[in-house]
Amino acid sequence: MITLRGLTVAFLAAAEGVEQRELAGAWQAVLEAGGTPRLLATRPGWVLAYRELDRADTFEVGAVIEESDAADYAALVLPGGVVGVDRLRLEPAAVEFVRAFCTAGRPVAAIGHAPWLLIEAGAVRGRTLTSWPTLRTDLENAGAAWVNEQVRTCQAGQGPLITSRKSADLPLFTDALVNECARLRGRLGPWGR
C-alpha cells in the first residue's frame, strides 16, 4: 500500500474561485494515503470554492502564502477554477511559491486552468503537459508541448509536473500525485523521512 505518512502537501488557492471538486478530490486522496494536506491562500480565513462558475463551499485556510516556505512541503497541488487561478497568477507571492517548488524538483500537480500558474512561474518550457483545452495556445506559446490526455506526468525538467484536463480526470490525477510523492519520498528532504 502506498503511504504518504509524514508528508505534508501544500494546496494553493485564491481567496475565491478554486474549483471545489478538484480541491476536495485531491485533498481526500492525500488524506487517504496518510499524508497531511494544508491549504495555503493569499489571505487568512476561508477560501470560497466554486462548482464551475457557481459559488459553493468554504474551506479554512491553513497558512497565508506570504508567510509560507515551499521547503516545508513535499509536494504542491494547484487545483483549477478559471476565476481563482486567474487571480492567483497576478499574486507575486503565489507565483514565486510555485517557482520555488518547480526549481526544487519536488512534485507539482496542476489540473484544469492551474497550468496558467506554471506559465507565470516560467516552469513549462520544454515540458509536455495537458490542461483545460483553452490553455493549449498559452502553454505552447510558453514553450510547452500540449497533449489531450487525462493525465500527463512530465519528468523532463527538474521535478515531476503532473497535469490533468478537468475534474472528470481526478482519479488518474490523484493516483499520479500520490505515486510521485511516494516514489520521491526518499529524496525529498527532512519532511520525507
Side-chain angles (χ1 to χ4, degrees):
M1 180 177 166
I2 295 173
T3 182
L4 301 184
R5 188 164 294 122
L7 299 183
T8 302
V9 177
F11 284 71
L12 180 58
E16 184 175 339
V18 66
E19 178 57 47
Q20 180 162 322
R21 289 172 291 184
E22 295 167 6
L23 171 62
W27 188 280
Q28 187 62 35
V30 169
L31 281 175
E32 288 175 3
T36 302
R38 187 161 194 210
L39 182 58
L40 309 180
T42 54
R43 64 180 191 224
W46 298 83
V47 164
L48 175 61
Y50 281 32
R51 285 188 189 100
E52 296 183 9
L53 296 176
D54 296 324
R55 291 172 182 243
D57 297 329
T58 57
F59 296 84
E60 189 170 6
V61 173
V64 176
I65 192 69
E66 289 86 357
E67 301 167 1
S68 300
D69 185 347
D72 293 337
Y73 301 94
L76 174 62
V77 177
L78 303 172
V82 65
V83 173
V85 175
D86 194 45
R87 290 177 176 166
L88 268 183
R89 66 185 179 150
L90 295 174
E91 295 284 342
V95 173
E96 185 51 42
F97 193 81
V98 173
R99 183 178 294 117
F101 258 93
C102 292
T103 58
R106 282 174 281 153
V108 176
I111 187 168
H113 286 82
W116 266 340
L117 278 167
L118 299 174
I119 292 169
E120 290 298 323
V124 301
R125 184 165 301 285
R127 309 296 296 264
T128 300
L129 296 92
T130 192
S131 68
W132 185 252
T134 58
L135 274 67
R136 178 182 183 164
T137 301
D138 295 341
L139 285 162
E140 290 175 343
N141 286 341
W146 185 87
V147 293
N148 184 20
E149 298 175 358
Q150 288 181 301
V151 67
R152 172 55 79 119
T153 300
C154 181
Q155 303 283 358
Q158 291 175 297
L161 285 183
I162 303 151
T163 53
S164 281
R165 302 170 303 180
K166 56 189 174 182
S167 298
D169 300 334
L170 271 168
L172 292 174
F173 177 73
T174 57
D175 283 351
L177 167 66
V178 169
N179 286 327
E180 280 303 317
C181 289
R183 189 176 73 76
L184 298 175
R185 182 183 186 105
R187 302 182 310 176
L188 289 174
W191 28 255
R193 292 185 185 131

